[in-house]
Amino acid sequence: VQLQASGGGLVQPGDSLRLSCALSGRPFSNYALAWFRQNPGKERDFVAAINWNGGMTYYADSVKGRFTISRDNAKNTMYLQMNSLKPEDTAVYYCATDGYSESYYPDRYSSHNYKYWGQGTQVTVSS
């Protein structure tokens, strides 16, 4: 399984940004997927997760109501729509999968439970 994240950039507080994550090597619809983010010297933190068909989504409290995770299985792509961005959203964003079709509690929240990772895309929110 190969994951490729894209869409990061430099934006101002209050702006929006959409990240994409493409999966190749295996059938995309087989996998639940997640977004994590990380700053230098800190743990990789859970942001959001989505199950194989998009019917179930999960969010960190810090992004609930501002971020939306979605997927298009026909395009083999997952998205993270980020609205009302704040400086504290600045991080490298990673997409990941643990290899299962559903996202299970509490495993979904720990980066240690994920087998496959994309390369990361930098999001910087600054005025």
Side-chain angles (χ1 to χ4, degrees):
V1 174
Q2 291 85 44
L3 295 165
Q4 175 99 18
S6 61
L10 171 62
V11 297
Q12 295 188 338
D15 283 353
S16 298
L17 202 60
R18 189 176 80 160
L19 305 183
S20 299
C21 175
L23 185 150
S24 61
R26 297 281 178 85
F28 179 78
S29 60
N30 283 4
Y31 300 103
L33 294 161
W35 289 99
F36 281 76
R37 64 187 181 186
Q38 187 175 29
N39 281 302
K42 296 197 173 180
E43 290 285 318
R44 198 167 286 190
D45 293 331
F46 173 81
V47 175
I50 189 166
N51 76 330
W52 70 277
N53 66 356
M56 300 297 292
T57 58
Y58 311 91
Y59 296 94
D61 288 343
S62 58
V63 306
K64 206 171 289 183
R66 299 188 299 121
F67 291 11
T68 302
I69 190 171
S70 62
R71 64 189 295 157
D72 185 338
N73 285 355
K75 295 182 178 179
N76 293 348
T77 304
M78 172 181 66
Y79 304 99
L80 186 68
Q81 177 67 43
M82 304 186 294
N83 298 331
S84 303
L85 282 160
K86 304 176 181 180
E88 51 263 44
D89 295 317
T90 295
V92 177
Y93 283 70
Y94 297 89
C95 54
T97 181
D98 60 2
Y100 297 107
S101 60
E102 297 294 339
S103 178
Y104 296 103
Y105 176 87
D107 293 359
R108 72 173 74 99
Y109 297 111
S110 173
S111 63
H112 300 291
N113 295 318
Y114 288 79
K115 294 180 187 176
Y116 306 105
W117 292 88
Q119 86 287 2
T121 185
Q122 176 71 48
V123 172
T124 303
V125 185
S126 175
S127 55

